[in-house]
Amino acid sequence: MTSQVSNHMKHTRIKDLLNATTYGHQVTVKGWVKTFRNNQFIAINDGSTLGNIQAVVDFNNTDEALLKRITTGAAIAVTGALVESLGKGQRVEVKVDTLEILGDSDPEKFPLQPKKHSLEFLREIAHLRFRTNTFNAVFKVRNALSFAVHQFFYERGFVYMHTPIITGSDAEGAGEMFKVTTLDFDHTPRTPDGAVDYKEDFFGKPTNLTVSGQLEGELAAMALGNIYTFGPTFRAENSNTTRHLAEFWMIEPEMAFYELEDNMDLAEELLKYVIRFALDHCPDEIEFLKNRLLDEEKGKPQNERSEMDLVAKLHFCLDNRFERITYTEAIDILHRSKPNQKKQFKYPIEGWGADLQSEHERYLVEKHFKKPVILTDYPAEIKAFYMRQNDPDEQGRHTVRAMDILFPGIGEMVGGSQREERFDKLVKRMEEMNVPAKELDWYLDTRRFGTAPHAGFGLGFERLVVFVTGMTNIRDVIPFPRTPNNAEF
């Protein structure tokens, strides 16, 4: 056997070879060694599929020094005949004529040996975790969902807008933002009264990384009709949980002439579209992730295991029309619920006005309605300044035309609202919430000139990927997570 692969042989994806229906022809395979058994059987993967192809080496006629270099993680190229396999576990294999090592991998140092590794360990070597089947599957699903989002909006005539990552405004009024500056921290310029002199900074004013593209998206919607943003957003929340990232991706459509009902319809349609797309285009990956989750939960007590497997959970959202109820109705249901009466909620529901916790949202979805739920008309006090105000109810309580979509296992998946298009009401609300109208004068122009009803929502992309993959930690669905004290790679 020669140790050099012919340079002009075009290599074929392993995914295509595993689906081949004809045999006997010469093929070239390039990929990474997963395992090498009996000095004869090489399992090769090139990332195109979860499956490996087996290459069979004639070890009696192969240089021993070359065989020693066929180690887990090494990149190799093999050429030979594609034949029907006689062994179990594979339909086809490559009978190797020529083999070349493209990149060695020292087996003493390569951290991904063929054994089970914990997700915590893989997070520490996030630059290599793509090479595992779990992360191959997760990022293929992420890719499919991302493509489906763009396709969904493109088919409906939406315009994709790139809103700024560096901003001078805090869209949510949350205040948890990363500062952007070129000032020298050791010699910070100061004004006569001792404050930081931002006139000396790059932008001449305080700037931050954005928490949302919504406000800029509204500007575009007021001219183009229907737009969406899909980009990175940042939150400097010092929260080290399985649900939080400092850098994450948001999908934020804004629609002119939409009211709350139209907003709910579109959000439900989008979620069903992208979940269906993932099921149709990543069946092997979702099946693998379903089995991974079942295997992981075997060690848990019965009451801590998921009631539905991954595929059943996805169909739970596809096959049901989302239940639509008001916040007031939800509070009443929760107040009277058994877990609340028996004090089983960590956060008891005392009464109207409370912000719902994840346990309450999941109760409504998983126990009470047994379908996804859209909650509307929240108390104004717990929502953002830009949400359209309802008339006070009979008890004089103030609510806004907000909507949250709640999913099993996750809680809130989408948050949105009809926007407050009435200039006077918006300005008054901004005053009440100490949102500086002067800094957002450009935003108020949309209410001064040709204002119109409009609505929009935000969908946290990683949260969606968590749901569709069944992963339990949000750090495992973004390639390189950014969290407190962690900005590796």
Side-chain angles (χ1 to χ4, degrees):
M1 179 196 296
T2 63
S3 64
Q4 187 67 40
V5 175
S6 169
N7 284 329
H8 68 265
M9 272 296 277
K10 191 175 188 301
H11 72 280
T12 308
R13 291 191 319 161
I14 288 172
K15 183 174 186 175
D16 298 328
L17 292 177
L18 294 178
N19 294 323
T21 53
T22 57
Y23 313 110
H25 55 287
Q26 288 281 108
V27 297
T28 295
V29 173
K30 295 180 181 179
W32 295 272
V33 176
K34 287 286 192 176
T35 58
F36 184 35
R37 294 184 296 113
N38 303 344
N39 246 13
Q40 187 176 12
F41 303 110
I42 317 171
I44 308 172
N45 188 282
D46 65 358
S48 64
T49 174
L50 292 171
N52 306 320
I53 197 160
Q54 179 166 283
V56 184
V57 182
D58 180 359
F59 61 89
N60 290 319
N61 294 307
T62 305
D63 181 11
E64 197 173 321
L66 185 65
L67 289 173
K68 282 185 176 168
R69 292 172 66 196
I70 305 172
T71 59
T72 298
I76 66 170
V78 299
T79 294
L82 185 72
V83 298
E84 284 193 77
S85 179
L86 300 173
K88 284 182 180 171
Q90 66 272 334
R91 199 168 54 82
V92 295
E93 61 190 21
V94 179
K95 197 174 175 186
V96 178
D97 293 328
T98 58
L99 184 148
E100 181 185 357
I101 307 292
L102 302 175
D104 289 285
S105 178
D106 184 341
E108 299 299 314
K109 295 179 180 173
F110 184 54
L112 283 175
Q113 291 305 313
K115 63 172 188 175
K116 193 169 182 180
H117 298 285
S118 73
L119 295 175
E120 288 75 19
F121 169 71
L122 293 173
R123 240 168 265 143
E124 291 169 15
I125 54 165
H127 59 304
L128 295 174
R129 66 179 179 170
F130 301 109
R131 303 186 188 195
T132 66
N133 277 349
T134 295
F135 289 97
N136 183 308
V138 165
F139 290 114
K140 291 271 182 60
V141 172
R142 183 183 171 108
N143 169 64
L145 289 168
S146 182
F147 181 83
V149 165
H150 288 297
Q151 185 166 282
F152 173 86
F153 286 118
Y154 186 80
E155 287 173 357
R156 285 154 185 77
F158 278 65
V159 178
Y160 179 33
M161 294 298 297
H162 294 133
T163 52
I165 287 171
I166 298 172
T167 178
S169 67
D170 176 1
E172 300 294 326
E176 295 164 333
M177 302 178 81
F178 290 102
K179 288 181 170 59
V180 175
T181 183
T182 56
L183 294 178
D184 182 346
F185 283 179
D186 294 326
H187 305 96
T188 309
R190 300 280 174 179
T191 61
D193 61 0
V196 173
D197 186 359
Y198 283 103
K199 286 195 173 68
E200 299 281 316
D201 206 354
F202 186 91
F203 292 107
K205 61 181 279 191
T207 51
N208 308 291
L209 294 178
T210 186
V211 297
S212 167
Q214 179 203 315
L215 302 189
E216 294 88 352
E218 284 187 54
L219 310 182
M222 287 293 99
L224 298 168
N226 295 342
I227 67 96
Y228 73 105
T229 77
F230 185 0
T233 49
F234 306 85
R235 201 67 59 92
E237 187 177 352
N238 192 3
S239 189
N240 238 326
T241 76
T242 58
R243 295 162 57 91
H244 289 92
L245 291 167
E247 175 185 279
F248 53 99
W249 287 65
M250 285 285 284
I251 299 150
E252 296 178 295
E254 289 293 326
M255 294 75 62
F257 314 114
Y258 267 49
E259 300 200 8
L260 187 65
E261 292 72 18
D262 310 307
N263 206 24
M264 290 190 277
D265 291 344
L266 185 79
E268 180 171 344
E269 198 184 341
L270 169 66
L271 287 165
K272 288 181 172 176
Y273 183 99
V274 298
I275 292 169
R276 166 54 61 204
F277 189 94
L279 279 166
D280 289 346
H281 292 84
C282 301
D284 295 343
E285 287 79 9
I286 287 176
E287 185 66 19
F288 172 86
L289 291 165
K290 178 189 92 170
N291 292 330
R292 187 204 145 271
L293 198 58
L294 290 170
D295 196 46
E296 191 182 69
E297 291 197 336
K298 277 179 188 168
K300 291 184 179 178
Q302 193 66 42
N303 65 333
E304 286 178 28
R305 296 182 196 177
S306 306
E307 287 185 22
M308 297 176 277
D309 70 36
L310 180 58
V311 174
K313 190 179 71 172
L314 297 179
H315 278 285
F316 175 91
C317 295
L318 286 179
D319 302 340
N320 287 301
R321 187 168 189 275
F322 297 2
E323 187 72 32
R324 300 179 181 194
I325 61 165
T326 66
Y327 165 91
T328 303
E329 290 166 332
I331 284 289
D332 191 41
I333 290 166
L334 289 163
H335 198 282
R336 291 185 282 110
S337 69
K338 270 188 188 169
N340 199 54
Q341 303 287 349
K342 294 185 173 180
K343 299 193 170 16
Q344 289 166 345
F345 283 142
K346 187 179 173 188
Y347 300 94
I349 293 287
E350 301 296 345
W352 199 91
D355 209 348
L356 297 188
Q357 303 295 325
S358 184
E359 60 178 342
H360 308 136
E361 294 168 341
R362 290 185 59 182
Y363 172 82
L364 291 168
V365 173
E366 296 164 31
K367 304 294 184 200
H368 188 82
F369 288 108
K370 299 194 187 304
K371 61 172 78 168
V373 173
I374 309 182
L375 284 189
T376 65
D377 301 297
Y378 281 78
E381 286 69 39
I382 60 174
K383 289 296 182 182
F385 73 90
Y386 50 72
M387 297 187 177
R388 194 180 203 277
Q389 298 158 58
N390 291 317
D391 293 332
D393 67 10
E394 292 160 4
Q395 280 105 308
R397 298 179 300 200
H398 292 271
T399 60
V400 289
R401 303 216 78 199
M403 66 117 181
D404 286 352
I405 300 184
L406 314 179
F407 263 31
I410 294 276
E412 184 192 330
M413 179 65 80
V414 164
S417 70
Q418 186 173 333
R419 312 312 190 190
E420 182 55 85
E421 85 281 11
R422 298 164 295 183
F423 179 85
D424 294 345
K425 286 192 175 287
L426 181 58
V427 171
K428 186 167 183 288
R429 189 82 184 114
M430 289 168 80
E431 284 170 6
E432 289 169 1
M433 298 183 76
N434 298 315
V435 176
K438 189 179 174 188
E439 282 181 30
L440 289 177
D441 200 55
W442 49 269
Y443 179 68
L444 290 171
D445 271 357
T446 56
R447 276 67 173 176
R448 288 189 182 104
F449 310 120
T451 190
H454 60 288
F457 60 83
L459 166 57
F461 186 56
E462 280 73 28
R463 201 167 272 201
L464 174 67
V465 183
V466 161
F467 180 75
V468 179
T469 59
M471 302 302 282
T472 50
N473 192 320
I474 202 163
R475 299 171 196 207
D476 294 329
V477 300
I478 193 167
F480 303 106
R482 299 292 181 243
T483 53
N485 298 314
N486 177 45
E488 298 304 315
F489 316 110

